[in-house]
Amino acid sequence: MDLQVLRSFRAVAEGTTVTDAAAEAHITQPALSRALNRLEDEVGAELLQRVGRVLRLTPAGRVFKEYVDAVLDSYDRGRRAVAEVVDPDAGLVSMAFLHTLGTWLVPRLVTGFRQTFPGVRFELSQDVEIGLAQHLLDATADLIITSKDPGHPLIVWRRLMVEPLWLAVPAGHRLAERRRVRLAEVADEPFIVLKPGHGLRGVTETLCRQAGFTPLVGFEGEEVETLRGLVAAGLGVSLVPASPDTATALPQPSADLPIRYLKVTDVQAVRDIGIAWLGSRTLPPAPQRFIDHAMSVTARMYETSAGRA
């Protein structure tokens, strides 16, 4: 059984036409059709059937594809591991992370790592909290950076930091001249929040419950910068994250974004940020080095912040 035939089978099963799959494999369309027929003969079942002008998986094909995915993913990881043994200063780090960490933490970690290991390549993707663990389980990422422990028995999670959350209010808000506030003081006001599935949405709802109320949702967005912009427009208040650079002092408003940030005192307004990987898998050298790098860098960030406090 040819691995290229398995790759072509997977491509067709995922919606690629036989013509395009043949072009990717650098063979003719009739040759690929014959190869797929031979594959069905070897397996002993019809794997693909024509529905209109496209091929669809049969029930047997759906079962077989799960094993094809596992075989190809294992083979690709094996080739990658051998390449990194041959050249340990090169390699690949495949990582998925929260949208909210793409503006500061992930760029900082990647930049610092590449200064030491310039030959390492990165494959990066963003996702919401509920989707990150699946990247590990599907073997589409070596690592994830997330705001909480996924709580899955196969996943190892290590805390990198505890990130402060500030209550953002418009510059003209009745509490804008304060530096501290009880979250309960805005129980009757609309909250600008991320959509369900985002980690920050869950943290916001939990903190509001701890303060004795259910947040009145005024708008659901997909990016933290959208939340800040709508708060500045006077549409509500929001709990937003702060980087370690602002962990010991209130972030300062700008002329372009007239927001005041208040420290919350009646609940612990923070969220965990951590890094995770599959415990059952031996990581290649590059991802393992990145874990060590991330742990070291974030520890130094907070040592510096504590020194300024």
Side-chain angles (χ1 to χ4, degrees):
M1 190 175 293
D2 191 329
L3 283 177
Q4 183 55 59
V5 176
L6 293 182
R7 293 190 192 278
S8 296
F9 165 76
R10 179 163 69 176
V12 172
E14 292 175 350
T16 302
T17 66
V18 174
T19 300
D20 289 342
E24 291 175 5
H26 304 292
I27 59 176
T28 66
Q29 183 270 328
L32 178 55
S33 294
R34 290 193 296 270
L36 293 175
N37 289 334
R38 288 195 299 272
L39 178 63
E40 291 181 324
D41 290 340
E42 290 182 37
V43 174
E46 183 183 29
L47 303 175
L48 298 159
Q49 62 183 5
R50 185 165 296 281
V51 178
R53 302 180 64 180
V54 297
L55 291 175
R56 302 292 188 196
L57 286 171
T58 65
R62 284 194 293 272
V63 172
F64 185 64
K65 183 179 180 298
E66 294 180 11
Y67 291 91
V68 169
D69 289 341
V71 167
L72 293 177
D73 290 343
S74 180
Y75 175 76
D76 290 340
R77 289 198 301 269
R79 289 187 59 189
R80 176 178 154 195
V82 170
E84 292 183 359
V85 168
V86 173
D87 186 0
D89 290 331
L92 172 71
V93 176
S94 176
M95 183 168 63
F97 56 91
L98 283 176
H99 289 80
T100 53
L101 302 177
T103 58
W104 69 279
L105 179 60
V106 171
R108 186 177 300 191
L109 294 178
V110 170
T111 298
F113 187 79
R114 295 192 67 193
Q115 288 174 351
T116 305
F117 301 103
V120 172
R121 296 180 297 110
F122 279 84
E123 288 182 355
L124 302 175
S125 59
Q126 293 177 300
D127 209 333
V128 298
E129 187 76 53
I130 59 174
L132 284 172
Q134 201 61 41
H135 284 270
L136 296 179
L137 299 174
D138 291 344
T140 57
D142 301 313
L143 309 171
I144 59 174
I145 299 183
T146 180
S147 69
K148 64 178 181 179
D149 187 340
H152 193 285
L154 298 179
I155 294 176
V156 178
W157 183 86
R158 292 288 181 269
R159 180 182 290 107
L160 292 175
M161 63 179 67
V162 177
E163 184 182 37
L165 300 176
W166 305 99
L167 181 69
V169 302
H173 192 273
R174 60 186 173 85
L175 300 172
E177 299 306 315
R178 301 256 298 269
R179 293 181 62 85
R180 293 175 172 80
V181 65
R182 291 182 299 110
L183 193 58
E185 293 183 69
V186 291
D188 296 330
E189 302 197 24
F191 270 73
I192 312 299
V193 295
L194 294 179
K195 291 183 177 180
H198 289 77
L200 187 58
R201 170 66 175 266
V203 172
T204 296
E205 292 175 337
T206 297
L207 292 174
C208 289
R209 283 197 300 270
Q210 292 174 358
F213 68 97
T214 299
L216 175 64
V217 176
F219 180 84
E220 296 178 332
E222 296 182 348
E223 297 287 345
V224 170
E225 290 311 306
T226 299
L227 307 190
R228 298 184 200 273
L230 294 180
V231 169
L235 299 183
V237 301
S238 186
L239 284 169
V240 296
S243 76
D245 299 327
T246 57
T248 59
L250 289 172
Q252 297 301 307
S254 67
D256 295 332
L257 206 59
I259 293 177
R260 298 296 186 270
Y261 297 93
L262 312 178
K263 182 176 182 179
V264 176
T265 60
D266 56 341
V267 293
Q268 191 175 15
V270 298
R271 66 172 180 173
D272 285 330
I273 301 296
I275 191 166
W277 61 93
L278 279 183
S280 58
R281 179 186 168 204
T282 300
L283 287 172
Q288 184 59 62
R289 287 171 175 162
F290 186 83
I291 292 172
D292 298 338
H293 169 76
M295 299 287 288
S296 174
V297 168
T298 52
R300 289 199 302 272
M301 285 181 186
Y302 276 85
E303 287 173 0
T304 301
S305 293
R308 292 199 305 261

